Amino acid sequence: MDGLVKNLVDLALGHPERGDDRDERDSQPRDERSRSTWSQVVSGGSEDHDRFSSNSDYDTRRRPGGEQEERYGRNEWESGESRPTMRPQKDGGANNDGWETVHKKPSKQHHKVHMDQRNSYKRPLREQEYSSDVDYGVNLEPTDEELADLSKALNKLWELDLNRLVPGKDYEIDCGEGKKVYQKGDMAEGSLFSWLSEDIFSRPTFSRFCSLLDNYNPHEGYKEVVTAEERQEQEAFIEEISRTAPIKYLYKYLLTKGIAPESYQDFKRMMTSLWFDLYGRGGTSSSSSAFEHVFVGEIKQRREQEVSGFHNWIQFYLEEAKGRVDYQGYVFPRRRGDMPDSETQLLTIQFEWNGVLKSVSSTLIGVSPEFEIAIYTLCFYLGGEDNHVELGPYLVNIKCYRLGNKIGSAFPVAD
């Protein structure tokens, strides 16, 4: 993966030329296919409770001051403005159509990151470079004890997450002040992420994961059109994570339980289908997928807009660096004395995404994409709606909601 990282997030919020947009996307009407490309900046109560048989995830909220944010349209997402509050530029703003972004509060991001892996990822799947299958030096065969206890299996996946980041070494967060879910106001002076090592995005599974994040329209109810290139990105991501310890352990576990097929290639196809096949949400067919909801996030179009899903820390980091996410503080934990700090890797937070409030959301900070795919897949096939487990030092309830035979939502909640 030579030269994988030069930069991933452009905090200057400049807009690259659109000459290398995908041909298949250009053939779509602008209001149908409004999404960024790899060459552009990738993106700069109770938890979710996605009970999909009902019509809502959680209570909608209004922004502090009582004024509802203007509804964000598809073209605004495409143009990449980092905050919904805008004002005219004095110099005309050639790169921003005469508008400049007005930030609500200063960002703590000081580094700029670009990506240069676009061309190598466009090659046919068999011509792309993947990580080598290596001996991880650990036993990937599930024990009888793990096969009899889902919690022990999930904790084994935590131990096998060799790509998990180390707080203080790979990144630093500033939790700010705490608040209750119903409290209004911003309790964080700056961003959640103070810094993140650029080397992180040279890790193959992280890089492949990031290539998927611009493949979706964030507005629930809009039918997704998946291009051939996007299907290739999906398959390449599954191929990459399938070379890691968590996914190999997942396969062996599901195989023993009679769920995974004998062929590892067929297992990869099963995983691709589970996470990326489109299904209906919000009354529109082919408008969502497990991956989009859990990792990317969606905006519900109802009487008031709501953020749904969006439980991944990488997506949060990129959108925060871009200025689209406004971190507003952590939600007080249920148990006294468990206040989060810069070392905490299970965090319950409140934030706005493009001006739309997510009143409460839990996320596992610093874990790898393969780890999250593995734990949610295991809970979907062998767990229930509530899965009370231990993940390293954390007592967690992995919530897993079904939408027919698909993953409707999955996320961690601190027990």
Side-chain angles (χ1 to χ4, degrees), residues 161-334:
D161 189 13
L162 307 180
N163 265 334
R164 186 171 63 250
L165 308 190
V166 178
K169 176 179 178 289
D170 298 314
Y171 70 93
E172 183 177 322
I173 60 173
D174 182 356
C175 296
E177 299 296 328
K179 63 192 305 185
K180 295 182 179 179
V181 174
Y182 58 81
Q183 285 181 304
K184 296 182 179 180
D186 194 335
M187 303 300 292
E189 293 183 358
S191 302
L192 174 61
F193 283 90
S194 301
W195 60 268
L196 178 72
S197 172
E198 293 183 7
D199 294 339
I200 299 310
F201 296 104
S202 66
R203 301 185 184 187
T205 60
F206 285 72
S207 177
R208 298 276 186 187
F209 179 85
C210 291
S211 73
L212 299 166
L213 297 177
D214 65 346
N215 289 351
Y216 301 95
N217 186 300
H219 293 286
E220 183 184 290
Y222 285 89
K223 185 168 292 190
E224 297 286 352
V225 179
V226 182
T227 68
E229 184 178 325
E230 289 166 354
R231 289 192 186 91
Q232 177 173 291
E233 290 173 347
Q234 295 168 2
E235 294 172 12
F237 171 70
I238 295 297
E239 175 63 36
E240 194 71 69
I241 66 173
S242 295
R243 296 163 183 255
T244 67
I247 302 300
K248 288 184 175 182
Y249 176 86
L250 171 70
Y251 165 70
K252 292 176 181 294
Y253 198 100
L254 294 180
L255 180 63
T256 303
K257 292 288 187 177
I259 295 172
E262 291 283 344
S263 165
Y264 202 45
Q265 287 300 119
D266 289 341
F267 168 71
K268 294 174 191 177
R269 283 188 279 269
M270 181 184 89
M271 293 289 287
T272 303
S273 175
L274 175 67
W275 283 99
F276 296 105
D277 279 1
L278 295 176
Y279 54 69
R281 195 192 295 270
T284 304
S285 62
S286 301
S287 61
S288 185
S289 69
F291 185 90
E292 177 183 7
H293 183 86
V294 173
F295 296 110
V296 182
E298 298 177 282
I299 302 291
K300 288 187 172 184
Q301 305 295 326
R302 302 213 169 119
R303 287 184 302 174
E304 295 181 5
Q305 292 180 315
E306 306 171 30
V307 175
S308 180
F310 198 141
H311 297 286
N312 178 258
W313 73 269
I314 301 174
Q315 167 75 339
F316 189 99
Y317 168 80
L318 295 174
E319 292 290 276
E320 183 177 62
K322 175 79 173 170
R324 288 176 170 172
V325 159
D326 179 10
Y327 173 63
Q328 300 201 343
Y330 66 86
V331 175
F332 286 126
R334 297 175 182 176

Side-chain angles (χ1 to χ4, degrees), residues 50-114:
D50 296 8
R51 300 183 182 276
F52 296 102
S53 59
S54 65
N55 292 325
S56 63
D57 283 338
Y58 44 78
D59 292 339
T60 57
R61 310 279 176 180
R62 290 184 176 270
R63 285 173 56 90
E67 294 185 1
Q68 184 68 17
E69 275 294 323
E70 180 180 357
R71 184 163 294 193
Y72 231 58
R74 298 174 73 104
N75 289 334
E76 280 116 335
W77 281 87
E78 182 178 32
S79 60
E81 286 89 0
S82 68
R83 296 293 301 154
T85 306
M86 310 293 290
R87 68 184 179 204
Q89 283 186 330
K90 294 180 180 180
D91 61 359
N95 289 333
N96 287 297
D97 298 326
W99 294 87
E100 66 175 337
T101 300
V102 181
H103 289 276
K104 177 181 177 181
K105 58 184 181 182
S107 171
K108 292 183 179 179
Q109 313 301 330
H110 299 294
H111 56 280
K112 300 177 182 179
V113 202
H114 282 289

Side-chain angles (χ1 to χ4, degrees), residues 8-10 13-26 29-30 32-44 73-81 115 118 122 209-219 224-225 227 229-230 233 296 315 318-319 322 324 353-354:
L8 185 57
V9 179
D10 189 348
L13 297 174
H15 296 274
E17 294 297 323
R18 304 195 52 113
D20 48 2
D21 278 0
R22 302 168 183 172
D23 293 338
E24 290 156 294
R25 286 179 175 177
D26 289 344
R30 186 176 178 87
E32 176 65 25
R33 297 289 299 166
S34 60
R35 40 177 94 160
S36 59
T37 65
W38 183 270
S39 60
Q40 293 175 290
V41 178
V42 175
S43 42
R74 298 174 73 104
N75 289 334
E76 280 116 335
W77 281 87
E78 182 178 32
S79 60
E81 286 89 0
M115 225 172 229
R118 179 175 67 257
K122 286 179 178 290
F209 179 85
C210 291
S211 73
L212 299 166
L213 297 177
D214 65 346
N215 289 351
Y216 301 95
N217 186 300
H219 293 286
E224 297 286 352
V225 179
T227 68
E229 184 178 325
E230 289 166 354
E233 290 173 347
V296 182
Q315 167 75 339
L318 295 174
E319 292 290 276
K322 175 79 173 170
R324 288 176 170 172
W353 186 29
N354 284 286

Side-chain angles (χ1 to χ4, degrees), residues 149-164:
D149 189 336
L150 182 63
S151 179
K152 294 185 184 302
L154 292 171
N155 195 55
K156 179 64 175 289
L157 286 170
W158 176 271
E159 296 173 2
L160 292 175
D161 189 13
L162 307 180
N163 265 334
R164 186 171 63 250

